[in-house]
């Protein structure tokens, strides 16, 4: 159960993540970097409290037959920058009668919640950027979609790695 300081930090991170939804790419990147910086500081200070708090797990996204490069990069990004463990677990897709896999994250309740938000934000942003790219370039099909999405996720991962190095 979070104290007043933890709640204040959580609210500030939530505001920064909301700002990260800005259509202005630079503003969104700056907000995401600031949220990461605050998370880094917050998690380093509360390491012992997190262990006592317990861990939770959650599945993110849909179970699929194939894991794309963009999904793999996103799972690595969450694990590296948002204080969760991310693994791909096998599942059975009953409605289709097929096997598949789904991303599972594990960590403190706060970190899992933030990683879930970041996951959703990055998936939606990458899709929006793809649609905008298609319109700008007059592209009709989705042949290059997976490559484009992987590039977006790799770019965000690289940006967060540079910010982490600078903040550390």
């Amino acid at each position: 159960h979070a104290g007043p300081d933890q709640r204040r930090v959580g609210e500030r991170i939530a505001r920064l993540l909301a700002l990260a939804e800005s259509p202005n790419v630079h503003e969104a990147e700056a907000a995401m970097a600031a949220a990461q910086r605050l998370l880094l500081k917050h998690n380093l200070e509360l390491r012992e409290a997190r262990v006592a708090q317990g861990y939770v797990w959650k599945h993110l996204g849909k179970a699929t037959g194939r894991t794309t490069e963009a999904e793999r990069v996103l799972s690595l990004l969450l694990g590296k920058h948002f204080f969760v463990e991310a693994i791909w677990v096998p599942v059975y897709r009953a409605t289709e009668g097929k096997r598949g896999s789904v991303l599972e994250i594990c960590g403190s309740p706060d970190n899992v919640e933030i990683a879930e938000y970041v996951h959703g934000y990055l998936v939606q942003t990458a899709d929006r950027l793809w649609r905008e790219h298609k319109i700008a370039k007059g592209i009709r099909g989705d042949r290059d979609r997976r490559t484009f999405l992987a590039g977006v996720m790799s770019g965000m991962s690289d940006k967060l790695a540079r910010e982490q190095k600078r903040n550390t």
Side-chain angles (χ1 to χ4, degrees):
H1 305 303
D5 290 340
Q6 269 186 290
R7 273 196 293 280
R8 230 181 350 265
V9 169
E11 289 168 2
R12 186 161 177 220
I13 290 170
R15 284 193 303 273
L16 286 167
L17 290 173
L19 185 59
E21 293 183 25
S22 168
N24 179 321
V25 174
H26 299 294
E27 186 176 83
E29 286 178 349
M32 185 68 76
Q36 182 197 24
R37 199 169 35 252
L38 193 53
L39 274 169
L40 180 63
K41 179 181 176 196
H42 177 69
N43 277 286
L44 289 176
E45 291 173 354
L46 297 175
R47 181 173 288 155
E48 293 79 24
R50 283 197 336 262
V51 171
Q53 187 178 27
Y55 278 60
V56 297
W57 60 269
K58 185 171 253 186
H59 289 170
L60 301 181
K62 295 179 183 175
T64 60
R66 288 191 180 150
T67 305
T68 67
E69 179 68 15
E71 292 169 326
R72 280 191 290 275
V73 171
L74 178 54
S75 68
L76 292 171
L77 178 154
L78 293 174
K80 187 172 183 180
H81 301 289
F82 292 96
F83 306 99
V84 294
E85 298 294 326
I87 59 170
W88 290 93
V89 295
V91 294
Y92 181 73
R93 299 179 294 161
T95 57
E96 300 161 25
K98 297 180 180 178
R99 294 176 188 217
S101 60
V102 67
L103 178 60
E104 181 178 287
I105 59 171
C106 176
S108 72
D110 291 342
N111 290 341
V112 166
E113 185 177 336
I114 290 167
E116 178 184 25
Y117 181 88
V118 169
H119 177 273
Y121 164 75
L122 289 175
V123 167
Q124 289 177 354
T125 299
D127 284 336
R128 177 180 51 81
L129 291 172
W130 168 245
R131 288 190 307 273
E132 291 171 1
H133 175 73
K134 278 179 59 173
I135 291 168
K137 301 290 183 184
I139 299 171
R140 294 180 189 248
D142 280 342
R143 185 173 61 107
D144 295 327
R145 181 178 182 273
R146 286 189 298 208
T147 304
F148 183 90
L149 296 179
V152 169
M153 296 303 174
S154 293
M156 183 54 78
S157 182
D158 292 346
K159 176 88 172 166
L160 287 171
R162 285 191 305 273
E163 288 295 322
Q164 183 179 31
K165 192 176 209 177
R166 197 173 63 125
N167 292 332
T168 303

